[in-house]
Amino acid sequence: MQLSVSSQQRIISRRRTRFPKSLGSYLRVRDGKKGYATCHGCKHGVVADQKLWIWHAYFGVPGANNDLNVLYGSPLFDDEIADIAPECPFVVNGHTYRKCYYLADGIYPAWSTFVKTFSVARDEKTLKFKRVQEAARKDIERAFGVLQGRWGIIRQPARAMQINTLKRIMYCCIILHNMILEDEGFEVNLRDVFVNPAPNIVRDWVERCDLHVRKTKELRDRKTHTDLRQDLMEHLWNNDDE
């Protein structure tokens, strides 16, 4: 599911975290820690915002899945690589970035669309960034806590269930969860969320291959990841009052 520009702006305007242009938190559910959805070795990759609206969910196949395998198999960045994802430029610490980003923990790769915390706080700046980033990332934990609190079936043993049954139950619970949020006043235009027209550009096979390589490099650019994290750290240090 790819967010349109208006949907991205809606998330950004509602988020009260101190991270500008953050789309939410990304998490891969670990075995045995988030309910029965991890039975049979399945892993669940999810993006949620501060309002606990779940914008993206991917149920990984069983087997030797870990955080990175689930990320690589998820369609989260498919539109980004296909060059049909909307741009949402922003300026932080005097530097311009074209894409929004997700907050993630340290196991994920240093991609331009992820902002990770520091494993060790070297000084007061990194300590503050680490504290604020980890606090903002708790949105995803709260979202799973609400899911488990609302739907008792998620807390039940599920070893006897088929994999496809587990997937349908989890997706159903997530859809119902979002419907409850919408009923409680969380305004969202589903046309904005799911309809993202592709540009009317005809490319041959060579051009598509070149585009795929170029966009993948941009997505996995470590320098952009490092620069963005540094700029966000300076932004928090200079503009945030605690």
Side-chain angles (χ1 to χ4, degrees):
M1 179 175 64
Q2 176 62 49
L3 303 180
S4 65
V5 174
S6 57
S7 295
Q8 292 184 11
Q9 295 290 357
R10 185 180 296 111
I11 300 174
I12 293 165
S13 64
R14 288 179 177 273
R15 285 185 66 80
R16 296 187 299 274
T17 63
R18 286 164 282 188
F19 285 91
K21 298 293 184 177
S22 169
L23 285 177
S25 303
Y26 182 84
L27 173 75
R28 193 275 295 177
V29 179
R30 291 177 172 80
D31 291 334
K33 294 185 179 180
K34 300 297 175 188
Y36 90 120
T38 56
C39 290
H40 303 285
C42 285
K43 310 296 188 295
H44 206 177
V46 170
V47 173
D49 64 13
Q50 192 179 32
K51 293 291 186 179
L52 308 187
W53 183 279
I54 297 176
W55 295 95
H56 168 82
Y58 171 72
F59 211 110
V61 297
N65 261 344
N66 53 34
D67 298 71
L68 299 183
N69 288 342
V70 171
L71 174 63
Y72 296 149
S74 170
L76 180 61
F77 297 116
D78 283 1
D79 284 357
E80 176 73 26
I81 295 177
D83 198 27
I84 60 176
E87 290 190 0
C88 191
F90 65 99
V91 178
V92 58
N93 197 36
H95 298 116
T96 302
Y97 297 90
R98 296 187 302 105
K99 301 291 185 181
C100 296
Y101 56 90
Y102 300 95
L103 303 179
D105 59 25
I107 192 63
Y108 291 100
W111 290 3
S112 61
T113 49
F114 285 142
V115 170
K116 307 191 297 180
T117 187
F118 294 92
S119 57
V120 177
R122 304 185 302 270
D123 50 33
E124 290 297 325
K125 284 186 179 181
T126 55
L127 177 62
K128 182 176 182 178
F129 179 87
K130 180 178 174 66
R131 182 173 66 251
V132 174
Q133 196 267 5
E134 292 175 351
R137 218 176 62 229
K138 292 185 182 297
D139 296 342
I140 192 71
E141 304 288 351
R142 292 170 51 228
F144 272 106
V146 171
L147 275 178
Q148 289 185 331
R150 280 177 171 162
W151 315 116
I153 190 172
I154 297 180
R155 302 191 301 269
Q156 303 302 318
R159 290 288 181 181
M161 294 186 183
Q162 298 295 324
I163 299 299
N164 287 335
T165 302
L166 295 177
K167 292 182 180 181
R168 293 189 182 102
I169 291 175
M170 281 303 302
Y171 288 143
C172 179
C173 290
I174 289 174
I175 292 172
L176 292 174
H177 165 80
N178 286 348
M179 290 175 65
I180 292 174
L181 290 182
E182 187 177 5
D183 185 65
E184 292 175 348
F186 184 89
E187 298 178 1
V188 58
N189 187 340
L190 294 182
R191 290 179 58 85
D192 288 342
V193 175
F194 294 101
V195 177
N196 185 35
N200 187 20
I201 300 176
V202 179
R203 298 186 177 96
D204 58 29
W205 184 83
V206 175
E207 291 176 334
R208 292 197 301 270
C209 290
D210 292 340
L211 175 66
H212 185 277
V213 172
R214 177 170 57 85
K215 299 301 291 186
T216 300
K217 288 183 178 179
E218 291 179 3
L219 177 67
R220 304 186 181 188
D221 186 15
R222 179 180 293 269
K223 183 179 185 301
T224 302
H225 166 82
T226 303
D227 292 344
L228 175 59
R229 183 169 65 172
Q230 184 67 29
D231 286 337
L232 287 171
M233 182 175 65
E234 295 294 336
H235 170 81
L236 291 175
W237 183 257
N238 296 326
N239 299 286
D240 190 43
D241 296 328
E242 288 188 342

